[in-house]
């Protein structure tokens, strides 16, 4: 399973940015897709996650500003980041919970990470 993320870059505070991530390869099902982020010296933290039923969970720090969406037919997850703040600066990682076979374990898969830098 490969996760290919795109988007990211350098923006000014208050701007918006879009991330996308597509899963490919051989697998049975994806149970959830989402985004995490990490800054140097800190643990990777959840930003947003969308479950198969469409329910989305967000970190408190991004609620009301970030919107996650998912195209299940294309195994793709999106993150619309509005009103960006300097503290949103981080490497953003796409994540998917995937079962490779019917009834098999659900494992974590990660994309390569994409840098988002928000200048003040």
């Amino acid at each position: 399973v490969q996760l290919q993320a795109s988007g990211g870059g350098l923006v000014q505070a208050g701007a918006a940015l879009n991330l996308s991530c597509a899963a490919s390869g051989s697998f049975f099902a994806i149970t959830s897709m989402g985004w995490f982020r990490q800054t140097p010296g800190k643990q990777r933290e959840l930003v947003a996650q969308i479950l198969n039923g469409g329910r989305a969970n967000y970190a408190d720090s991004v609620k009301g500003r970030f919107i996650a969406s998912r195209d299940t037919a294309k195994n793709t997850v999106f993150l619309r980041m509005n009103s960006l703040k300097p503290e949103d600066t981080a490497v953003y990682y796409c994540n998917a919970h995937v079962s490779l076979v019917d009834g098999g374990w659900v494992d974590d898969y990660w994309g390569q990470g994409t840098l988002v830098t928000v200048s003040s």
Side-chain angles (χ1 to χ4, degrees):
V1 179
Q2 295 81 40
L3 299 179
Q4 183 65 48
S6 61
L10 172 63
V11 297
Q12 289 189 331
L17 206 57
N18 293 313
L19 303 180
S20 63
C21 175
S24 62
S26 179
F27 51 86
F28 175 72
I30 297 176
T31 58
S32 71
M33 294 189 78
W35 296 92
F36 286 68
R37 66 187 181 187
Q38 189 170 24
T39 55
K42 293 189 177 181
Q43 285 190 330
R44 195 170 294 187
E45 64 175 5
L46 173 71
V47 176
Q49 184 182 48
I50 300 183
L51 305 180
N52 269 358
R55 188 183 75 191
N57 298 317
Y58 294 93
D60 287 343
S61 59
V62 306
K63 282 180 181 176
R65 298 189 298 123
F66 289 12
I67 302 172
S69 59
R70 190 174 154 194
D71 185 335
T72 54
K74 296 183 178 180
N75 298 316
T76 301
V77 64
F78 306 93
L79 186 67
R80 171 70 175 182
M81 303 183 290
N82 298 310
S83 303
L84 281 161
K85 304 175 181 180
E87 51 263 44
D88 294 317
T89 296
V91 177
Y92 284 70
Y93 294 92
C94 174
N95 170 264
H97 293 173
V98 181
S99 58
L100 298 182
V101 297
D102 188 5
W105 294 106
V106 176
D107 289 322
D108 263 338
Y109 289 86
W110 297 92
Q112 79 279 15
T114 183
L115 178 62
V116 172
T117 304
V118 184
S119 63
S120 58

